[in-house]
Amino acid sequence: MTARILDGNALSAQVRGELAEQAAALTQRGVQPCLAVILVGDNPASAVYVRNKVAACEKAGIRSLKFDYPQDAEPAEVLAKIAELNADAGVHGILVQLPLPPRFDEKAVLEAIAVGKDVDGFHAENVGRLSQGQPAFFPCTPHGVMKILEYGDIPVTGADAVVIGRSNIVGKPMAMLLTQAGATVTVCHSRTRDLASHTRRADILVVAIGRALEVTADMIKPGATVIDVGMNRFPAGHPKEGKLCGDVEFEGASQVAGAITPVPGGVGPMTITMLLANTVESARRAADAGGR
Ligand code: GUN
């Protein structure tokens, strides 16, 4: 079998087009969606992610504000900026890029963001709302995965879903969204015994391990949908050394799976797209409430 490719670039282009129209309509109403992005320190990957987020905003007609702090910034200074942005009615979304330098209390920083502007969906109240099935901002990567499943017409209700990874950013909210959608969900992680015995039962396999090529064809149920959240580089000695790859060994997996996301061009573009979607949604709420 050769798997159907779930094209995150194509879906992303379509959704971003719709969001740009919505942003333009809101701007006409006097409420241009605005995202504030805070970057602390000199993590090179974070700098690239933030640059991509700001560029995507610009392309969609969303205003962006970027605040850079050095590695040795005072946490109080960053918290004061968050308080200022919380109080600014012209700002609809606030994002603090993670990870933060070690001296920061990450949880305290995330909790300082106003729940209604937490477009990353990392605030404990949004996490609680998600777990109770209440309306909330959902974390962007798992939310993007749900959109990919919807777009690919992948049945979720009643499906056996296996998520590998239990992070707050991907694994845990992914499990909650799939549960909400009616899947029977198993969460696997680094301490799971006999990982393959779980993955081989999965109709939907979401892989967020963070290491290259960990999931191989023999771990996949024939016809399953495989969603690869990984973003790594092929290791030294591999014929594609240095090029981008996921957590799944794509060549083999795509011979067994029924549908699969590529890396790059799968989940990655949808993460930023859902950030834009949450920001536009927050601006819409402000407009409907008569704000700006
Ligand atoms: N670091 C890695 N992924 C993310 C994300 O989705 N949002 C933020 N704020 N930081 C991250």
Side-chain angles (χ1 to χ4, degrees):
M1 179 186 292
T2 304
R4 185 158 59 96
I5 303 298
L6 299 170
D7 183 345
N9 281 331
L11 175 58
S12 199
Q14 181 190 316
V15 176
R16 287 190 202 189
E18 291 161 11
L19 290 169
E21 285 174 17
Q22 292 167 26
L26 284 163
T27 304
Q28 282 284 315
R29 289 171 68 186
V31 182
Q32 184 181 15
C34 174
L35 174 69
V37 182
I38 295 176
L39 174 63
V40 187
D42 42 25
N43 181 319
S46 289
V48 173
Y49 290 140
V50 164
R51 206 179 318 130
N52 290 342
K53 287 170 185 179
V54 167
C57 280
E58 201 164 307
K59 244 185 123 184
I62 295 170
R63 185 170 163 241
S64 66
L65 307 171
K66 184 167 173 281
F67 302 95
D68 283 299
Y69 293 89
Q71 184 76 17
D72 61 357
E74 282 300 327
E77 198 186 348
V78 175
L79 289 168
K81 176 53 74 179
I82 292 173
E84 183 190 316
L85 295 167
N86 283 341
D88 185 340
V91 171
H92 307 105
I94 302 170
L95 177 151
V96 177
Q97 187 65 28
L98 303 178
L100 288 165
R103 60 201 294 255
F104 278 74
D105 177 352
E106 202 163 276
K107 195 168 157 293
V109 171
L110 295 178
E111 303 300 276
I113 298 171
V115 177
K117 297 189 181 188
D118 170 38
V119 286
D120 250 336
F122 293 163
H123 191 291
E125 188 171 327
N126 275 320
V127 177
R129 283 172 164 274
L130 165 59
S131 77
Q132 291 187 340
Q134 294 184 42
F137 287 126
F138 301 147
C140 302
T141 299
H143 195 185
V145 171
M146 296 307 291
K147 288 281 172 205
I148 290 174
L149 294 174
E150 188 186 317
Y151 163 79
D153 279 328
I154 308 294
V156 177
T157 309
D160 281 327
V162 171
V163 177
I164 315 180
R166 56 175 159 175
S167 71
N168 290 336
I169 293 181
V170 182
K172 285 186 211 162
M174 187 75 255
M176 284 196 279
L177 285 169
L178 287 164
T179 303
Q180 208 69 50
T184 302
V185 182
T186 303
V187 180
C188 298
H189 45 76
S190 55
R191 310 299 291 268
T192 297
R193 284 183 279 127
D194 194 1
L195 179 64
S197 71
H198 296 280
T199 60
R200 281 192 202 111
R201 293 179 43 253
D203 302 310
I204 298 171
L205 178 60
V206 181
V207 187
I209 300 175
R211 277 195 311 272
L213 317 175
E214 289 272 322
V215 169
T216 45
D218 57 305
M219 298 168 73
I220 296 167
K221 175 173 165 176
T225 297
V226 177
I227 305 286
D228 190 349
V229 181
M231 181 59 77
N232 317 289
R233 297 206 179 261
F234 282 101
H238 192 282
K240 294 187 182 170
E241 177 178 341
K243 291 207 162 103
L244 287 177
C245 70
D247 293 352
V248 177
E249 197 282 300
F250 182 86
E251 296 298 329
S254 59
Q255 298 304 309
V256 179
I260 189 167
T261 58
V263 177
V267 175
M270 285 307 290
T271 294
I272 293 186
T273 299
M274 300 324 293
L275 173 68
L276 304 181
N278 283 347
T279 304
V280 169
E281 171 59 25
S282 181
R284 184 178 302 116
R285 287 180 198 169
D288 290 347
R292 64 184 182 90

